[in-house]
Amino acid sequence: MDPPATNDNSASSAPENLSKNARKKLLKEEERRRKKEEKERKFSVMPKSTLSVQEKDPTKFRENRLELIDAQKAAGMNPYPHKFQASMSIPEFIDKYKSLNAEDRLKDVQVSLTGRLMNDGRSSSKGLIFYDLLGDGGKVQVMAAEENSDLDEAGFSNYHSSVKRFDIVGITGFPGKTRAGELSIIAKSFTSLSYCLHMMTPMHKNVGDWTPGCGRNPEAYILKDTETRYRQRYQDLILNPDVINIFKTRARVVSYIRHFLDKREFTEVETPILTTVSGGAAARPFVTHHNELNLDMFMRIAPELPLKQLVVGGMNHVYEIGKQFRNEGIDMTHNPEFTTCEFYMAYADYNDLMELTEKMLSGMVKELTGGYKVKYHANGYDSEPIEINFAPPFRRIDMIEELEKVANLSIPKDLASDEAKQLLVDACIKFDINCPPPLTTTRLLDKLVGHFLEETCINPTFIINHPEIMSPLAKSHRSKPGLTERFELFINKHELANAYTELNDPVVQRQRFANQLKDRQSGDDEAMALDEAFCTALEYGLPPTAGWGLGIDRLAMLLTDSQNIKEVILFPAMKPQVHIEQSVE
């Protein structure tokens, strides 16, 4: 005779004379009931005063939340679970079930979602609470009804009194739509995954679709204080979820460039961040010290020189996307740490690169926006946006010819002469153009070009054929003495790219470096230093080569309608906050 069934809620209590399916069903029911009783037991040992955080002093929000977490730990609960398995993302949930009709309920479908609660919960009636759940760029309503919950009345009330805005939760339930037709996940169980211990501004706006280049309105941000936004970017991303789209667009820009070059058989490489010689650009470097070698080193200002050494070695198409560091000012378009893409292409010249640049940028804008035109609020978001047209071909301006024309100057052919320098000094005085010392010919020319030419470059424009004294690494122009085969790409009055046919004569390169040394001795600490290792590499033979560099940050600014470079850098350079030490008696 079989022993009688016991009533101890254990798996062994299922009678053996039942059919296999009936026994399996009974075991599942007993397991479900056991888990429910365990949850209720844990909640029952927690003081209600601890759970009801909203009833406590709101000025002690963090302390109240920590008290809640301590109580959960004391009750044997884990307030920070190791894992919660979501069955799909919120955008996938929306896409899959958006076609449901009002009041539809798919009770046979089980779905698990994770995200951050964007409100404290709207109580519609007793035992019915609504939340907004945000995650992966999507937002969906959560309907928490006591009748669908795994908790009893007391457990349901206690749990939802402990849940606060911006907590991260896992929710298991089924899809449905409310009477008003709003898609929701109807929760059967809530799992707190991580607690927000700080009060933040409430959310009152939807996460809308946003298209690069179509303009945006930061005045609609929930969190507007830029100091907080840039210092605590996580708050910015939580409260202003549209900001996430800026960095998604930036990522798409980088991805497009990488794919564009990979298709043309370029090899992506990495070159050193720490260097013993600061070269490859005219800029002031950051200095650091290597303890083991007892050697002062520089953070690189450009990867140009090592990349060209790779071309000497036979890697005819190379590129690098990475960080550069320049110890210079911080403003709306400059950050001391920034990202560039540089590539070098053997057996090509600067004419090839202008064509390649047009293809890359026009194709990128077309892919991101669907057309060639983007709108940009160059004069502030309260003004009318300008329209920037990336349709090829781009405008081209010959630097010296155009400067002579618009400024009514006759610049001597020998730009290294004292006569040329004095003419440029007089021109800056005449047009009230400020050029801080040292007054080198290079700096004077740069200021005049900025005043007369760059200001006209709204649509993509190539300023071409720079003087040799401004371009120590560029090859001399094949038909214009004293000039080089170099261009800079300007858009919305700012430089985005710099490229040239590379100088590959080691004798001339040494002489160019020597000329730069004279400027350094005159006080121009941005002039390039002599890199003997690079000159030696040139002696092994650099084929005819064209090199190109583009600022990723500034391009991202244009394509996300951002006026400040800090908007497109997740963690921009900021002055450290001064913390006043509290004395302890």
Side-chain angles (χ1 to χ4, degrees):
M1 179 181 294
D2 294 327
T6 62
N7 194 26
D8 61 358
N9 291 332
S10 65
S12 62
S13 63
E16 296 181 1
N17 59 351
L18 292 177
S19 68
K20 184 176 180 181
N21 286 340
R23 180 180 175 84
K24 188 175 180 181
K25 184 177 179 180
L26 181 59
L27 291 174
K28 283 185 176 181
E29 176 63 25
E30 290 179 347
E31 178 66 14
R32 187 195 69 80
R33 186 169 64 250
R34 185 189 64 77
K35 288 182 178 180
K36 182 176 179 180
E37 289 174 352
E38 178 65 17
K39 285 183 179 181
E40 292 170 355
R41 183 191 67 77
K42 288 179 179 180
F43 276 107
S44 67
V45 299
M46 297 179 63
K48 183 174 176 55
S49 60
T50 299
L51 292 169
S52 300
V53 178
Q54 72 272 23
E55 297 176 2
K56 295 198 168 189
D57 185 351
T59 64
K60 296 183 178 180
F61 185 87
R62 182 171 179 273
E63 291 87 340
N64 295 340
R65 301 237 75 197
L66 289 172
E67 183 183 337
L68 165 69
I69 293 170
D70 288 342
Q72 290 184 348
K73 291 177 179 177
M77 301 173 65
N78 181 6
Y80 293 97
H82 290 72
K83 183 178 175 62
F84 181 91
Q85 186 64 52
S87 60
M88 62 179 63
S89 68
I90 292 175
E92 289 171 339
F93 177 86
I94 294 170
D95 185 63
K96 186 170 184 177
Y97 298 111
K98 61 186 177 183
S99 60
L100 293 178
N101 297 318
E103 298 191 82
D104 278 353
R105 300 282 193 276
L106 303 184
K107 294 185 177 181
D108 294 335
V109 176
Q110 179 169 294
V111 176
S112 294
L113 302 179
T114 55
R116 191 180 290 271
L117 298 176
M118 306 312 288
N119 63 305
D120 275 329
R122 304 179 298 272
S123 182
S124 173
S125 61
K126 184 179 180 181
L128 182 60
I129 303 173
F130 293 92
Y131 298 94
D132 292 325
L133 186 69
L134 187 71
D136 299 305
K139 180 175 73 71
V140 69
Q141 179 172 268
V142 179
M143 181 191 298
E146 183 185 317
E147 63 180 4
N148 297 310
S149 174
D150 289 344
L151 300 173
D152 63 10
E153 181 179 351
F156 182 88
S157 176
N158 282 353
Y159 179 81
H160 288 284
S161 69
S162 72
V163 174
K164 301 298 291 181
R165 183 173 66 243
F166 303 122
D167 284 354
I168 297 172
V169 300
I171 297 173
T172 299
F174 55 88
K177 280 192 174 180
T178 63
R179 185 179 302 172
E182 183 168 0
L183 179 62
S184 307
I185 177 171
I186 301 168
K188 297 178 69 177
S189 68
F190 262 73
T191 303
S192 293
L193 303 177
S194 188
Y195 293 89
C196 181
L197 305 182
H198 297 270
M199 294 188 74
M200 293 193 291
T201 305
M203 288 283 293
H204 294 299
K205 72 167 190 170
N206 293 328
V207 181
D209 294 330
W210 179 85
T211 304
C214 71
R216 58 190 178 87
N217 181 18
E219 291 302 315
Y221 286 172
I222 299 299
L223 176 62
K224 295 182 175 66
D225 179 67
T226 53
E227 280 287 309
T228 303
R229 290 185 56 228
Y230 301 151
R231 289 186 189 279
Q232 298 180 333
R233 183 64 85 178
Y234 48 86
Q235 276 208 61
D236 186 32
L237 300 177
I238 291 170
L239 292 169
N240 304 325
D242 283 353
V243 171
I244 295 175
N245 290 312
I246 293 175
F247 295 101
K248 286 185 176 181
T249 298
R250 180 190 171 108
R252 291 179 67 191
V253 167
V254 174
S255 178
Y256 184 93
I257 293 172
R258 184 172 276 119
H259 182 64
F260 182 90
L261 295 174
D262 289 346
K263 283 198 307 182
R264 287 161 176 79
E265 298 185 350
F266 280 79
T267 301
E268 184 174 8
V269 298
E270 293 180 341
T271 60
I273 297 291
L274 292 176
T275 65
T276 55
V277 178
S278 175
R284 183 186 301 121
F286 285 94
V287 182
T288 186
H289 186 78
H290 195 297
N291 290 333
E292 181 67 22
L293 299 177
N294 192 24
L295 181 69
D296 283 342
M297 301 188 76
F298 305 99
M299 303 286 282
R300 73 177 180 195
I301 57 176
E304 176 171 349
L305 303 187
L307 286 174
K308 283 194 281 193
Q309 292 182 50
L310 297 179
V311 181
V312 170
M315 298 183 71
N316 288 340
H317 294 74
V318 293
Y319 75 96
E320 181 172 12
I321 297 173
K323 293 283 190 181
Q324 320 307 329
F325 307 87
R326 299 184 182 178
N327 197 356
E328 299 171 344
I330 299 174
D331 58 29
M332 298 284 279
T333 60
H334 292 86
N335 192 71
E337 176 184 357
F338 61 99
T339 303
T340 67
C341 172
E342 287 203 19
F343 73 74
Y344 292 83
M345 186 176 182
Y347 308 106
D349 64 14
Y350 81 141
N351 294 304
D352 298 313
L353 295 194
M354 280 188 268
E355 182 181 346
L356 206 62
T357 303
E358 290 172 342
K359 287 181 180 178
M360 177 190 288
L361 295 185
S362 62
M364 177 190 300
V365 172
K366 184 83 177 286
E367 181 172 301
L368 290 177
T369 69
Y372 292 122
K373 297 178 181 179
V374 299
K375 291 184 177 180
Y376 185 78
H377 288 81
N379 301 310
Y381 294 105
D382 56 351
S383 64
E384 286 295 316
I386 63 171
E387 187 175 79
I388 301 175
N389 190 346
F390 283 82
F394 297 167
R395 176 187 175 210
R396 301 185 185 190
I397 297 175
D398 190 290
M399 178 186 283
I400 299 300
E401 289 181 7
E402 190 70 13
L403 182 59
E404 289 182 318
K405 177 181 175 181
V406 298
N408 194 26
L409 298 174
S410 180
I411 301 174
K413 298 298 181 185
D414 183 5
L415 285 164
S417 67
D418 292 337
E419 178 189 1
K421 178 180 176 180
Q422 189 58 52
L423 182 142
L424 298 175
V425 169
D426 294 341
C428 284
I429 294 172
K430 176 182 177 181
F431 295 109
D432 196 25
I433 298 172
N434 180 41
C435 181
L439 298 180
T440 62
T441 303
T442 296
R443 291 168 64 88
L444 292 163
L445 264 175
D446 186 63
K447 291 295 182 182
L448 286 163
V449 169
H451 181 80
F452 286 106
L453 304 187
E454 294 172 14
E455 288 294 310
T456 70
C457 303
I458 304 302
N459 289 327
T461 303
F462 295 119
I463 296 180
I464 65 174
N465 301 336
H466 296 53
E468 289 179 357
I469 59 171
M470 299 180 74
S471 313
L473 298 168
K475 194 161 187 142
S476 298
H477 199 284
R478 64 195 78 182
S479 62
K480 297 183 179 182
L483 304 183
T484 61
E485 295 192 349
R486 176 186 174 190
F487 70 79
E488 290 177 296
L489 175 68
F490 283 82
I491 307 175
N492 186 41
K493 308 178 185 180
H494 295 294
E495 178 194 351
L496 257 78
N498 180 33
Y500 35 83
T501 307
E502 299 293 340
L503 175 59
N504 60 345
D505 184 332
V507 176
V508 175
Q509 182 64 80
R510 275 196 175 88
Q511 184 58 49
R512 295 269 189 91
F513 279 144
N515 293 338
Q516 287 281 300
L517 184 60
K518 294 177 184 178
D519 284 346
R520 289 179 71 87
Q521 292 170 344
S522 299
D524 187 357
D525 55 2
E526 294 184 356
M528 289 190 202
L530 171 63
D531 189 328
E532 184 58 42
F534 174 67
C535 290
T536 299
L538 290 185
E539 293 178 350
Y540 286 83
L542 173 69
T545 299
W548 179 94
L550 174 131
I552 300 291
D553 311 283
R554 288 186 180 176
L555 181 57
M557 287 175 65
L558 286 173
L559 297 180
T560 60
D561 195 16
S562 300
Q563 297 175 17
N564 193 323
I565 196 170
K566 289 183 172 69
E567 293 285 349
V568 299
I569 298 176
L570 279 168
F571 299 100
M574 304 284 287
K575 285 185 178 180
Q577 291 178 309
V578 177
H579 297 282
I580 301 175
E581 294 293 333
Q582 299 280 341
S583 62
V584 180
E585 296 185 351

